[in-house]
Amino acid sequence: MGSAAVARLSGLFATYKPPGLNWLHLRDTIELQLLKGLNAGKPSVPEQRVRFLLGPVEGNEEELALTATSVPTLTNHRLVCGPAFTSLKIGVGHRLDAQASGVLVLGVGHGRRLLTDMYNAHLTKDYTVRGLLGKATDDFCEDGRLVEKTAYDHVTREKLDRILAVIQGSHQKALVMYSNLDLQSQEAYEMATRGAIRPMNKSPMLITGIRCLHFAPPEFLLEVQCMHETQQQLRKLVHEIGLELKTTAVCSQVQRTRDGFFTLDDALLRAHWDLHSILDTIQATAPRVAAELDKNLRPRLSTPQLPSPDRSWDSEALSSTLGLGSCAGH
């Protein structure tokens, strides 16, 4: 069982990281659970060897003789040489800090190389970010050291939506800049229509979509689609939104709901961090992982196309396609 399972234990899988748990502790916990599963199989029947043992002759206890006896060989027994599997190499994808929760992708075996492919694909991630109006703290978190309290009665849903629209528009313009695309090219227009514009290299946090899901002052809930972010930057974003609204705000929750092509539906809860569940998940998602990585790592356009003679591919057309300056949303 153990050797057969190790051969199949290669790929990507997603877990749900609860708040308050360090990502490294999660990785070590999963490694421990996998090792328990690999070593839990029934031990193989030990080989038998012939040994000549000295003992009394039957019927005459005073006379000794050598008797051929079959005895088990214990050199490979688990209690002698220890467990068969003692360590696994497990990689962690885009990390979550201790306070954040949500989808955390891990790779084992060949999956560690697939994590690099996911990183190189510059895929977007989705978050739900909960904010609380009326106060500011030193670390932008609700439980941080209180710095200031402010009134928020003047804040409305319409004002918040306008601020979010401005944020999305400015970040989408930055996205085009970091993608190193010629705004007047057919390539840029084609990628914009497919929503495939991404930075070619590392960049600051870029927000591709942001909207308000729920507004009940002092609480509000945002859905943020972004890349190259940290959870602390998302908390700071809530703080900056509060300032734009002429008040203050702190972040009370950051939850990642999607990492690339892994969603909450794919994430294994803590009760399922075991060998059989992880094996089943790797096998079930392997075809989708291969297809998504192939699609996202494929060259931008297979064959360059020239603009149609009856249409001008200018920066205004591209901006319209991207939705720059429009209302916030996906």
Side-chain angles (χ1 to χ4, degrees), residues 182-257:
D182 182 1
L183 296 184
Q184 299 181 357
S185 68
Q186 170 76 5
E187 180 184 25
Y189 182 80
E190 291 289 337
M191 294 186 68
T193 57
R194 290 184 285 115
I197 292 184
R198 295 176 189 139
M200 297 302 295
N201 297 299
K202 186 65 176 175
S203 71
M205 179 180 72
L206 295 172
I207 296 173
T208 59
I210 182 170
R211 62 172 179 162
C212 179
L213 297 178
H214 180 68
F215 184 77
E219 289 190 344
F220 61 94
L221 182 65
L222 305 178
E223 182 180 58
V224 184
Q225 190 177 73
C226 55
M227 61 181 69
H228 300 170
E229 79 295 337
T230 66
Q231 291 75 58
Q232 187 63 11
Q233 287 175 323
L234 293 174
R235 298 183 186 102
K236 185 179 180 182
L237 175 66
V238 171
H239 167 75
E240 293 173 345
I241 290 174
L243 296 180
E244 291 295 330
L245 291 169
K246 303 297 187 286
T247 182
T248 54
V250 293
C251 181
S252 59
Q253 180 188 21
V254 175
Q255 181 189 56
R256 182 191 289 161
T257 58

Side-chain angles (χ1 to χ4, degrees), residues 134-138 143-149 250:
K135 64 178 183 178
T137 60
D138 59 342
D143 56 356
R145 183 174 61 85
L146 184 64
V147 174
E148 182 182 8
K149 278 191 173 184
V250 293

Side-chain angles (χ1 to χ4, degrees), residues 63-267:
E63 185 177 351
L64 300 177
L66 291 175
T67 304
T69 306
S70 179
V71 297
T73 301
L74 300 178
T75 54
N76 295 325
H77 195 279
R78 184 177 301 174
L79 296 178
V80 176
C81 61
F85 305 96
T86 58
S87 65
L88 287 172
K89 292 183 178 180
I90 301 177
V92 179
H94 299 110
R95 298 170 182 173
L96 289 168
D97 61 30
Q99 294 172 303
S101 62
V103 179
L104 183 67
V105 181
L106 292 91
V108 59
H110 175 65
R112 290 183 298 144
R113 291 196 295 272
L114 298 180
L115 287 174
T116 302
D117 291 339
M118 280 190 67
Y119 178 84
N120 292 333
H122 300 283
L123 302 174
T124 59
K125 297 177 282 297
D126 288 355
Y127 290 85
T128 54
V129 181
R130 191 177 301 277
L132 189 66
L133 296 169
K135 64 178 183 178
T137 60
D138 59 342
D139 60 356
F140 316 125
C141 296
E142 182 182 13
D143 56 356
R145 183 174 61 85
L146 184 64
V147 174
E148 182 182 8
K149 278 191 173 184
T150 54
Y152 55 85
D153 295 341
H154 61 283
V155 178
T156 64
R157 174 70 179 262
E158 291 72 22
K159 290 181 179 179
L160 175 60
D161 286 340
R162 284 198 295 269
I163 295 298
L164 299 183
V166 172
I167 292 173
Q168 177 170 311
S170 62
H171 276 259
Q172 285 181 323
K173 291 177 182 178
L175 176 62
V176 175
M177 180 184 68
Y178 280 104
S179 65
N180 297 329
L181 287 174
D182 182 1
L183 296 184
Q184 299 181 357
S185 68
Q186 170 76 5
E187 180 184 25
Y189 182 80
E190 291 289 337
M191 294 186 68
T193 57
R194 290 184 285 115
I197 292 184
R198 295 176 189 139
M200 297 302 295
N201 297 299
K202 186 65 176 175
S203 71
M205 179 180 72
L206 295 172
I207 296 173
T208 59
I210 182 170
R211 62 172 179 162
C212 179
L213 297 178
H214 180 68
F215 184 77
E219 289 190 344
F220 61 94
L221 182 65
L222 305 178
E223 182 180 58
V224 184
Q225 190 177 73
C226 55
M227 61 181 69
H228 300 170
E229 79 295 337
T230 66
Q231 291 75 58
Q232 187 63 11
Q233 287 175 323
L234 293 174
R235 298 183 186 102
K236 185 179 180 182
L237 175 66
V238 171
H239 167 75
E240 293 173 345
I241 290 174
L243 296 180
E244 291 295 330
L245 291 169
K246 303 297 187 286
T247 182
T248 54
V250 293
C251 181
S252 59
Q253 180 188 21
V254 175
Q255 181 189 56
R256 182 191 289 161
T257 58
R258 181 181 63 84
D259 185 353
F261 38 83
F262 287 97
T263 67
L264 285 174
D265 292 336
D266 302 309

